[in-house]
Amino acid sequence: MTPITGLHHVTAIASNPQANLDFYTQVLGLRLVKKTVNFDDPGTYHFYFGDDAGSPGTILTFFPWPGARRGLAGAGEVTHTAFSVPKTSIAYWEERLTAQGVLVEHTGVRFAANDGGEDVLTFADPDGMKLEIVGHGDAVAATNAPRYSDVPVEHSIRGFFGVTMLQRDAVATEATLAMMGFSKTAEEGNRLRFASPAGNRVGNAIDIVVKADAGYGRSGAGSVHHIAFRTPTDDTQLAWREEIAKTLSVTTVQDREYFHSIYFREPGGVLFEMATDAPGFAIDEPIETLGEALRIPPWFEPQRASIEQRLIPVTLTKAKVTA
């Protein structure tokens, strides 16, 4: 089997489209790499935020449903989504978030015995989605910083560090991760760390926090809908589908225009996706203008006028050109 190297993207639910757009581009300095629609609900936006090209491992996506009620995190869900920065950038991000009116907690050092540990900031987006900025010594180089951001390149978000799932028991989830090639690399209190030996430090930390009496959550604004893992090609995806189907129910391949997807729910309750790296976000617009126009798949083009009427207009603010 071709190894999984980490996360491809994380998809969450938001409420107000403009507030969501402003927070992730103007506060976190990510690039809006695609403005499209929810393929299952084309009257709703689907925003994709990431590095300058929307590279796999950097992509946080949202379905912003206006008026959506607030979700409640609980067992069987992803409770925290973490971004990667150099350890030397933590002070910058704490100051920036505070200046932007974001309540941020300097959570402290996690896994201190592991190469100096990870310095963690915890905060929430406008819908209450829990986010982390993790500073660590082996963050990848800033080779693809968003061009329309006022975040200095050296402090730019490199992509995902990973995600944290809350589970009442980790045994079945751990078995699924093992089937996918992830092994346990560290343990601290009730937090278990899993990673792919084939991955790097972008999106390769899958944590499980075990709490036997954890209540169950409620889907809604501020909650993670699913997490997607990387597979390079259609052929490798089909091979993984065959492997997954031996133990879990898995969907047929879904065409998401910018990648192809299969979905399955791990035994603990989190919805997993496996997404191909190709074809990527530059197939229907130049990289210079990614995210600036509404892009919809060809099968919805005959409905474009009615779709646009149903969408709330949003404004993308560009900070400055950094690349």
Side-chain angles (χ1 to χ4, degrees), residues 16 30 50 54 100 103 157 191 242 268 292 300 313 317:
N16 184 298
L30 301 177
Q100 295 274 0
L103 183 62
I157 287 172
R191 179 180 293 270
E242 183 176 344
E292 296 184 16
F300 282 141
T317 301

Side-chain angles (χ1 to χ4, degrees), residues 1-6 174-185 194-199 204 206 229 240 243 274:
M1 301 295 295
T2 300
I4 296 169
T5 56
E174 182 173 354
T176 297
L177 290 172
M179 178 269 294
M180 296 168 60
F182 286 76
S183 56
K184 186 163 69 173
T185 60
F194 299 84
S196 167
N204 194 28
I206 309 299
F229 295 86
W240 272 109
E243 182 68 18
M274 195 168 291

Side-chain angles (χ1 to χ4, degrees), residues 63-284:
F63 303 133
W65 278 300
R69 70 174 182 172
R70 183 69 63 91
L72 178 66
E77 296 184 27
V78 169
T79 59
H80 293 73
T81 300
F83 297 106
S84 169
V85 299
K87 190 174 285 189
T88 53
S89 295
I90 286 294
Y92 168 84
W93 277 104
E94 187 171 15
E95 181 179 344
R96 178 182 177 88
L97 291 168
T98 301
Q100 295 274 0
V102 178
L103 183 62
V104 58
E105 177 186 359
H106 196 159
T107 315
V109 176
R110 185 179 292 162
F111 294 115
N114 183 15
D115 194 26
E118 304 150 5
D119 210 357
V120 183
L121 301 177
T122 304
F123 57 101
D125 79 357
D127 288 299
M129 178 176 167
K130 288 295 182 69
L131 303 170
E132 294 176 338
I133 289 180
V134 178
H136 55 112
D138 56 353
V140 298
T143 57
N144 218 9
R147 66 186 67 198
Y148 300 120
S149 171
D150 63 352
V151 176
V153 171
E154 64 271 22
H155 297 308
S156 62
I157 287 172
R158 307 303 205 252
F160 292 122
F161 181 80
V163 295
T164 298
M165 298 183 283
L166 177 64
Q167 301 286 8
R168 288 184 164 189
D169 185 292
V171 174
T173 301
E174 182 173 354
T176 297
L177 290 172
M179 178 269 294
M180 296 168 60
F182 286 76
S183 56
K184 186 163 69 173
T185 60
E187 185 171 348
E188 185 176 70
N190 65 338
R191 179 180 293 270
L192 312 177
R193 166 69 51 81
F194 299 84
S196 167
N200 56 30
R201 294 299 276 178
V202 177
N204 194 28
I206 309 299
D207 286 5
I208 301 176
V209 169
V210 181
K211 188 177 180 183
D213 61 350
Y216 291 103
R218 180 185 67 230
S219 180
S223 63
V224 172
H225 185 270
H226 64 268
I227 60 175
F229 295 86
R230 293 181 64 179
T231 187
T233 67
D234 291 330
D235 287 343
T236 58
Q237 182 183 72
L238 289 174
W240 272 109
R241 185 182 183 279
E242 183 176 344
E243 182 68 18
I244 294 164
K246 293 176 182 177
T247 54
L248 298 169
S249 178
V250 58
T251 68
T252 57
V253 176
Q254 309 292 308
D255 184 358
R256 299 310 188 192
E257 190 72 1
Y258 310 108
F259 45 85
H260 300 145
S261 300
I262 56 174
Y263 300 86
F264 57 102
R265 197 171 293 277
E266 58 85 20
V270 178
L271 182 60
F272 282 4
E273 175 184 351
M274 195 168 291
T276 58
D277 285 357
F281 293 100
I283 62 167
D284 58 359

